[in-house]
């Protein structure tokens, strides 16, 4: 009986989800609870795509409808927000942008914005205040109070800015109080893999293994984890890989079209794959995004690369391409970026590295 219980299940549950076993039967029951609200019972099985969608719906405050069932009208929001308040603006934002951006992104923003609404200026709850009165100083106070680390504080700033940017565009607000707040320096983010680390991973996971296939798919396509989870043979035609990345599917809608490199094709041909996706679980089913991320974590740990991640391979590919002379426009085409905000990080570093290498001889005094 005990052997059937999931181990350390709370370690892999999404934020806001908790496990509460039945007192008599020990049956696992999962709940989602947003700050200041009642918990919601989750019926789907953890680790499945259905469970992820159910959690996303719970974060947004809308009814979850399983696939194949008749769709019902969304339940009304539990909090009756007064028009013109921050609560009201958040409710409008969630209602009107739903379907225009990915459910995962909206759920992540909603979680942060709900915390913003619960923040108190003295005795006044932020969600009950007029959003038109919010200024830069208020955003800075909320950001610094809700989070401690620079990266997390940037997430708060981005979420508030996204909501107010939409409000300005929708003619609901005159200004975006977070627009001119600079992002805090939070380091270089995910570690960029080195060539030596790639070789170390390959030494642990031989050709023909799922781990080797995952490594080369990530390194030689530059796709994010959510796109790697759905990538399959249907995305390749006449040697060209064509896919619309999940992250930007509902925003820029950009399609990535890149040739399949010979090394990648060789790895695909030598590896067992699924029918719909290249990467499948032990049960021959496609990975969820979180499931594939956890599996890659295990593969990296097995190779002794505890600091390496899937996203670090994307950064490694961009770094290698930039150092080989790729332009900003070429990087945008390869990695699906729509602005040069990301590309200049790599191209500037590559140029600085080349300039330093070409100028080092100038440190040596001239011989007379």
């Amino acid at each position: 009986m005990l052997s059937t219980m999931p181990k350390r299940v709370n370690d892999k549950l999404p934020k806001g989800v908790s496990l509460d076993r039945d007192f008599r039967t020990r049956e696992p029951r999962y709940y989602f609870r947003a700050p200041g609200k009642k918990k919601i019972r989750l019926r789907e099985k953890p680790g499945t795509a259905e469970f992820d969608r159910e959690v996303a719906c719970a974060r947004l405050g809308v009814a979850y409808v399983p696939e194949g069932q008749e769709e019902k009208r969304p339940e009304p929001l539990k909090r009756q927000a007064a028009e013109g308040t921050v609560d009201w603006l958040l409710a409008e934002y969630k209602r009107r942008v739903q379907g225009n951006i990915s459910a995962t992104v909206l759920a992540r923003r909603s979680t942060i914005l709900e915390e913003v609404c619960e923040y108190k200026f003295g005795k006044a709850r932020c969600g009950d205040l007029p959003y038109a009165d919010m200024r830069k100083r208020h955003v800075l106070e909320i950001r610094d109070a809700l989070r401690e680390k620079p990266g997390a504080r940037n997430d708060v700033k981005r979420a508030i800015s996204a909501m107010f940017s939409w409000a300005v565009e929708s003619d609901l607000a005159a200004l975006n109080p977070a627009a001119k707040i600079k992002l805090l320096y939070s380091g270089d983010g995910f570690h960029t893999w080195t060539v030596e680390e790639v070789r170390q991973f390959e030494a642990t996971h031989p050709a023909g293994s799922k781990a080797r296939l995952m490594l080369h798919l990530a390194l030689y396509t530059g796709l994010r984890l959510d796109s790697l989870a759905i990538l399959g043979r249907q995305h390749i035609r006449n040697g060209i890989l064509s896919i619309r990345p999940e992250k930007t599917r509902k925003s820029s809608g950009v399609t990535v079209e890149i040739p399949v490199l010979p090394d990648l094709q060789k790895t695909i041909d030598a590896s067992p794959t699924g029918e719909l996706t290249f990467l499948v679980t032990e049960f021959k089913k496609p990975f969820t995004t979180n499931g594939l991320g956890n599996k890659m974590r295990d593969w990296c740990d097995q190779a002794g690369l505890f600091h390496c991640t899937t996203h670090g391979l994307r950064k490694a590919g961009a770094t290698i391409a930039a150092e080989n002379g790729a332009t900003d426009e070429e990087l945008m085409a390869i990695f699906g970026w729509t602005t040069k905000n990301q590309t200049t990080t790599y191209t500037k570093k590559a140029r600085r590295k080349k300039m330093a290498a070409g100028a080092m001889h100038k440190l040596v005094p001239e011989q007379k």
Side-chain angles (χ1 to χ4, degrees), residues 276-290:
L276 296 177
T277 59
F278 287 127
L279 295 160
V280 292
T281 68
E282 290 80 358
F283 303 102
K284 308 300 181 184
K285 293 184 177 181
F287 281 99
T288 63
T289 300
N290 289 339

Side-chain angles (χ1 to χ4, degrees), residues 192-348:
T192 303
W193 289 54
T194 64
V195 174
E196 291 74 20
E197 288 165 343
V198 172
R199 299 291 176 256
Q200 183 175 331
F201 189 97
E202 290 177 332
T204 303
H205 303 289
S209 64
K210 287 182 188 177
R212 175 71 72 90
L213 177 59
M214 172 63 176
L215 176 78
H216 285 187
L217 285 173
L219 182 61
Y220 294 136
T221 67
L223 293 174
R224 300 180 183 88
L225 191 61
D226 53 2
S227 295
L228 291 169
I230 65 171
L231 185 64
R233 296 186 185 278
Q234 67 274 19
H235 295 105
I236 299 176
R237 182 172 297 177
N238 298 325
I240 301 297
L241 187 155
S242 178
I243 187 171
R244 184 172 294 176
E246 288 296 300
K247 183 177 180 180
T248 55
R249 178 181 292 273
K250 293 182 178 179
S251 53
S252 66
V254 66
T255 297
V256 172
E257 293 182 299
I258 54 176
V260 178
L261 297 174
D263 285 352
L264 175 56
Q265 189 61 59
K266 182 180 178 181
T267 300
I268 293 174
D269 294 340
S271 306
T273 61
E275 294 182 4
L276 296 177
T277 59
F278 287 127
L279 295 160
V280 292
T281 68
E282 290 80 358
F283 303 102
K284 308 300 181 184
K285 293 184 177 181
F287 281 99
T288 63
T289 300
N290 289 339
L292 183 56
N294 291 334
K295 196 64 178 178
M296 185 58 171
R297 175 75 273 143
D298 293 339
W299 288 330
C300 288
D301 291 349
Q302 291 165 14
L305 301 170
F306 303 103
H307 56 298
C308 292
T309 62
T310 304
H311 195 74
L313 284 168
R314 179 176 168 86
K315 294 179 66 176
T319 299
I320 294 171
E323 291 181 353
N324 285 336
T327 65
D328 289 306
E329 290 75 13
E330 288 171 336
L331 289 178
M332 289 168 65
I334 295 172
F335 294 94
W337 292 316
T338 55
T339 69
K340 294 183 180 180
N341 292 339
Q342 301 96 332
T343 62
T344 51
T345 300
Y346 299 100
T347 54
K348 282 183 178 179

